[in-house]
């Protein structure tokens, strides 16, 4: 038997392993739209530096499209049309959308969500990205960025916040999370921020004893519903919401 290589094994065993990795990457990109080489290597338990030949083969397969990310100094991977069609075969029950061109406004967010999930991979049994969540089946009021599944059935909604939301939107989402918790769609919410300043802005709103209630008007805009709000004192003592600062992908 040949020596074990950084890109897998020699011969048929190595080809089989690489095919498995390609399949996992196709499914990953279908769920997150875009990723980069370091993240994809982490996803299948390797280090990107030792995967050069594999990634060259992946790019030559024309199942992915690569784009240079301005300001990030990385190559962004997305699905080609062929790759997207293959993803539909691998994930026949998912409603997938093919995004031809990277949305730079969302790129940093999706890369950070992937990083946060992979950082917790050893602590959770599994995780479900937003696109893997079924809003109608779960009767959820709001979809988080992902759902973390822990041992014993505990489910934690993940929210990665990289910028400030408007006050109406923030309270609307907090109350939506609370309704989802009451319906046992998940049990807690974890908010991850890039810095203390942004986290404290959210905590200030969260710590208010009364949360204003906003509803969407006929134009789809949030407007204040009366003067009475929601008493949040019991929520503060519940431990349903947790806030933390972690390293994120930066432009």
């Amino acid at each position: 038997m040949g020596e074990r290589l950084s890109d897998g094994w020699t011969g048929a065993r190595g080809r089989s392993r690489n095919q498995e990795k390609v399949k996992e990457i196709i499914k990953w990109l279908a769920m997150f739209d875009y990723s980069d080489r370091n993240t994809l290597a982490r996803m299948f338990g390797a280090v990107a530096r030792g995967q050069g030949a594999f990634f060259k083969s992946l790019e030559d397969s024309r199942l992915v499209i690569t784009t240079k990310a301005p300001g990030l100094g990385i190559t962004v991977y997305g699905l080609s049309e062929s790759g997207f069609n293959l993803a539909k075969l691998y994930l026949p029950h998912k409603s997938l959308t093919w995004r031809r061109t990277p949305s730079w406004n969302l790129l940093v967010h999706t890369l950070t969500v992937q990083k946060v999930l992979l950082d917790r991979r050893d602590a959770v049994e599994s995780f479900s990205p937003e696109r893997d969540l079924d809003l109608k089946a779960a009767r959820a009021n709001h979809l988080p960025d992902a759902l973390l599944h822990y041992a014993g059935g505990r489910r934690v909604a993940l929210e990665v916040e990289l910028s400030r939301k408007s006050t109406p939107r923030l309270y609307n989402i907090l109350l939506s999370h609370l309704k989802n918790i009451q319906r046992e769609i998940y049990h807690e919410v974890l908010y991850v921020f890039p810095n203390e300043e942004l986290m404290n802005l959210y905590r200030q709103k969260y710590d208010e004893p009364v949360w204003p209630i906003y509803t969407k008007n006929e134009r789809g805009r949030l407007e204040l519903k009366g003067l009475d709000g929601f008493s949040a004192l019991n929520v503060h003592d519940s431990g349903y919401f947790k806030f933390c600062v972690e390293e994120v992908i930066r432009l």
Side-chain angles (χ1 to χ4, degrees):
M1 180 181 293
E3 294 180 354
R4 181 170 177 172
L5 304 177
S6 58
D7 283 330
W9 294 272
T10 58
R13 193 177 181 187
R15 288 193 295 272
S16 176
R17 171 59 179 150
N18 282 348
Q19 288 170 358
E20 291 173 8
K21 285 154 61 175
V22 170
K23 182 176 181 178
E24 291 305 308
I25 285 175
I26 296 298
K27 291 161 61 178
W28 185 272
L29 292 176
M31 290 291 103
F32 292 104
D33 294 325
Y34 314 112
S35 194
D36 68 303
R37 186 175 288 197
N38 287 333
T39 303
L40 292 174
R42 282 190 69 192
M43 181 269 293
F44 54 73
V47 178
R49 185 178 300 174
Q51 298 291 312
F54 168 75
F55 279 105
K56 176 64 167 58
S57 175
L58 175 67
E59 294 167 18
D60 291 343
S61 73
R62 299 186 179 180
L63 294 173
V64 297
I65 297 173
T66 60
T67 312
K68 291 292 184 182
L72 283 177
I74 60 173
T75 298
V76 176
Y77 287 78
L79 291 177
S80 66
E81 185 173 4
S82 297
F84 179 72
N85 289 333
L86 192 55
K88 290 191 292 186
L89 294 176
Y90 291 152
L91 303 166
H93 304 298
K94 303 298 179 185
S95 178
L96 303 178
T97 301
W98 180 37
R99 305 193 189 280
R100 295 170 176 80
T101 305
S103 169
W104 303 120
N105 291 333
L106 299 178
L107 177 61
V108 175
H109 182 266
T110 188
L111 289 177
T112 300
V113 170
Q114 293 170 59
K115 177 186 181 300
V116 172
L117 290 174
L118 289 173
D119 285 347
R120 287 165 170 76
R121 181 166 56 183
D122 292 339
V124 302
E125 290 190 338
S126 63
F127 52 74
S128 307
E130 180 180 356
R131 191 165 291 171
D132 203 28
L133 304 176
D134 190 334
L135 176 66
K136 292 181 180 178
R139 297 184 299 115
N141 291 76
H142 169 77
L143 285 182
D145 291 322
L147 207 58
L148 301 166
H149 303 267
Y150 288 86
R154 185 168 66 98
R155 297 179 297 278
V156 177
L158 173 68
E159 293 280 21
V160 172
E161 299 292 348
L162 303 182
S163 59
R164 184 175 183 176
K165 282 185 169 64
S166 68
T167 295
R169 191 176 174 205
L170 172 56
Y171 279 120
N172 186 257
I173 291 175
L174 286 174
L175 287 169
S176 293
H177 278 310
L178 194 57
K179 290 177 182 177
N180 290 344
I181 290 171
Q182 291 169 343
R183 292 173 179 172
E184 297 187 340
I185 296 171
Y186 40 82
H187 305 99
E188 301 171 23
V189 183
L190 173 65
Y191 273 92
V192 175
F193 301 90
N195 55 63
E196 295 276 349
E197 181 181 6
L198 184 60
M199 182 180 73
N200 290 337
L201 287 173
Y202 275 71
R203 282 302 304 256
Q204 265 187 328
K205 301 292 185 184
Y206 170 82
D207 287 336
E208 289 291 336
V210 177
W211 293 353
I213 298 174
Y214 294 87
T215 57
K216 287 186 178 180
N217 60 24
E218 57 188 16
R219 293 176 295 176
R221 295 181 179 178
L222 290 171
E223 60 181 18
L224 190 63
K225 181 182 178 181
L227 297 178
D228 295 331
F230 170 79
S231 176
L233 295 178
N234 289 336
V235 177
H236 297 158
D237 296 331
S238 67
Y240 288 151
F241 293 85
K242 293 181 172 60
F243 304 84
C244 69
V245 174
E246 294 186 12
E247 183 180 350
V248 301
I249 305 295
R250 298 182 183 275
L251 281 172

